[in-house]
């Protein structure tokens, strides 16, 4: 059966993967309200398409931190991709490179920064968790820089791991034949069995809960790479991120895996964009499954979006070609949405192309 949209890969992944692995990728925190809301919030944003515009030529290209990419659709960091497919992050890196876009490699990848760099050319960012041992952090950042990674995406919403009940039930742990490759030589590559979630125990033991804004500044003293702050949901933190020298902001609720009952990222986006005042680019991650979602995010002021689960689900289903197909489908849908909305380039996508349920009614109801 031909796959015609991104969402269809999830059911295939569920069939193919061991329950523990599928549940790890698919689940959110606690009641999973935000998990549903990340998707549902998009459906409450409607289009105001403009007609009779020559849309014979459409340009999707953009630049992110000065790097030219083919489209504003990038790959979010997702952990332990070899659980999904034997080629894991290698396949994802090749697919991103073929699509002319950016891959973000997770700290908790099952392939190292050097291994991913060896797949060939491509613009890649490195997602960083800050460990209690700062020497580990400094070493990792240096390795990413040396391997040609172009930016650091600092995850700031995980002083502790969110309560993911499926992982507790399944006693989630990294399968024995895999390691967190970036930490292999540091004796931090293995995850112990635990009475609840092995990952939650690993985070409690290794990740630094004291992480604060001063560490964002410290990071800039050890690397020249631009720092994207990933996990911002409020205007207040946006202003602090800009003050702290962030090169950009990723509006993210960690795929609804951390604090439940935070808003959908598409709902929080506009507040963050307004607070950033154009001083740094703002990106969105969370809930993007359609080209229409990409357009909506850009109309609300995002400079680009990142996809997470669609990557691991398509990887599980079809390996590299699955990830390529997801990127192509999103690209094609986004291009079609632009054409049907009357936009020929990203700069032509405006706030007036959408109406949200928090906009004031444009026409007052008749008395």
């Amino acid at each position: 059966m031909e796959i015609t949209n991104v969402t269809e890969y999830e059911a295939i992944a569920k069939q193919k993967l061991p329950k523990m692995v599928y549940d790890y990728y698919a689940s959110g925190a606690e009641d999973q309200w935000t998990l549903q809301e990340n998707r549902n919030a998009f459906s409450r944003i409607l289009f105001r398409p403009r007609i009779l515009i020559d849309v014979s030529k459409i340009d999707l290209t953009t630049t992110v931190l000065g790097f030219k990419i083919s489209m504003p659709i990038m790959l979010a960091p997702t952990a332990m991709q070899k659980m999904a497919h034997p080629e894991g992050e290698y396949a994802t890196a090749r697919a991103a490179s073929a699509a002319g876009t950016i891959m973000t490699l997770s700290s908790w990848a099952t392939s190292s920064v050097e291994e991913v760099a060896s797949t060939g050319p491509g613009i890649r960012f490195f997602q960083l968790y800050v460990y209690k041992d700062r020497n580990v952090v400094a070493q990792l950042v240096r390795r990413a820089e040396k391997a040609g990674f172009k930016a650091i995406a600092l995850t700031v919403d995980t002083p502790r791991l969110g309560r993911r009940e499926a992982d507790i039930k399944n006693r989630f742990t990294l399968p024995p034949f895999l390691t967190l490759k970036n930490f292999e030589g540091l004796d931090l590559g293995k995850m112990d069995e635990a009475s609840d979630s092995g990952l939650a125990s690993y985070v409690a033991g290794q990740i630094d809960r004291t992480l604060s804004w001063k560490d964002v500044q410290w990071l800039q003293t050890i690397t020249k790479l631009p720092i994207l702050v990933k996990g911002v949901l409020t205007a207040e933190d946006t202003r602090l991120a800009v003050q702290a020298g962030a090169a950009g902001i990723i509006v993210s609720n960690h795929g609804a895996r951390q604090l439940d009952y935070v808003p959908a990222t598409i709902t929080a986006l506009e507040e963050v964009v307004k607070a950033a005042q154009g001083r740094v680019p703002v990106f969105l991650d969370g809930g993007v499954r359609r080209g229409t979602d990409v357009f909506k995010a850009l109309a609300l002021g995002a400079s680009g979006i990142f996809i997470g689960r669609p990557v691991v689900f398509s990887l599980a289903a079809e390996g590299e070609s699955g990830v390529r197909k997801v990127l192509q489908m999103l690209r094609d849908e986004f291009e079609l949405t632009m054409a049907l909305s009357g936009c020929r380039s990203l700069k032509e996508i405006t706030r007036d192309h959408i109406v949200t349920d928090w906009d004031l009614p444009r026409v007052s109801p008749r008395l």
Side-chain angles (χ1 to χ4, degrees), residues 213-227 241-247:
W213 289 108
K214 70 176 188 317
D215 298 296
V216 179
Q217 284 155 329
W218 167 75
L219 210 48
Q220 291 165 79
T221 68
I222 66 162
T223 180
K224 290 190 270 298
L225 295 180
I227 293 158
V242 172
Q243 278 166 28

Side-chain angles (χ1 to χ4, degrees), residues 305-320:
I305 65 91
F306 290 87
I307 51 168
R309 286 185 184 87
V311 173
V312 289
F313 291 148
S314 59
L315 184 63
E318 292 175 359
E320 181 184 337

Side-chain angles (χ1 to χ4, degrees), residues 54-224:
D54 174 355
V55 289
S56 56
K57 287 193 184 68
I58 290 182
D59 178 14
L60 302 184
T61 61
T62 188
T63 57
V64 170
L65 302 180
F67 299 98
K68 190 164 191 189
I69 56 174
S70 67
M71 57 181 173
I73 300 165
M74 298 166 283
L75 286 75
T78 48
M80 309 177 231
Q81 291 179 11
K82 282 186 182 176
M83 293 194 308
H85 187 275
E87 291 178 16
E89 294 83 3
Y90 288 77
T92 302
R94 291 191 296 260
S97 183
T101 193
I102 293 165
M103 171 193 183
T104 316
L105 182 69
S106 170
S107 274
W108 295 337
T110 38
S111 315
S112 68
V113 288
E114 294 84 4
E115 288 172 335
V116 169
S118 78
T119 62
I123 304 154
R124 304 187 184 101
F125 294 172
F126 181 70
Q127 176 272 335
L128 181 68
Y129 281 119
V130 177
Y131 279 60
K132 288 173 182 170
D133 183 346
R134 291 310 162 89
N135 295 326
V136 166
V137 178
Q139 200 180 99
L140 194 52
V141 169
R142 268 199 300 277
R143 281 171 58 198
E145 206 162 351
K146 193 162 172 252
F149 285 70
K150 301 301 185 200
I152 301 291
L154 176 68
T155 298
V156 294
D157 58 12
T158 312
R160 299 172 58 175
L161 202 71
R163 184 175 173 83
R164 306 164 191 178
E165 293 179 3
D167 292 349
I168 297 169
K169 283 189 171 69
N170 295 333
R171 301 199 169 178
F172 174 81
T173 191
L174 186 62
F177 54 91
L178 296 175
T179 57
L180 301 180
K181 263 292 199 298
N182 287 317
F183 301 97
E184 204 173 30
L186 302 160
D187 284 337
L188 295 168
K190 280 291 179 198
M191 209 175 284
D192 299 322
E193 297 279 340
S195 57
D196 50 2
S197 154
L199 184 62
S201 303
Y202 180 85
V203 168
Q206 303 301 335
I207 303 303
D208 194 346
R209 297 183 186 186
T210 73
L211 189 69
S212 69
W213 289 108
K214 70 176 188 317
D215 298 296
V216 179
Q217 284 155 329
W218 167 75
L219 210 48
Q220 291 165 79
T221 68
I222 66 162
T223 180
K224 290 190 270 298

Side-chain angles (χ1 to χ4, degrees), residues 2 50 53 65 93 132 142 147 185 203 239 269 285 288 327 334-335 352:
E2 169 137 37
R50 303 301 308 275
I53 292 167
L65 302 180
K132 288 173 182 170
R142 268 199 300 277
V203 168
R239 288 189 282 269
L269 176 61
D285 110 342
V288 175
L327 291 168
F334 177 51
E335 185 175 0
D352 289 329

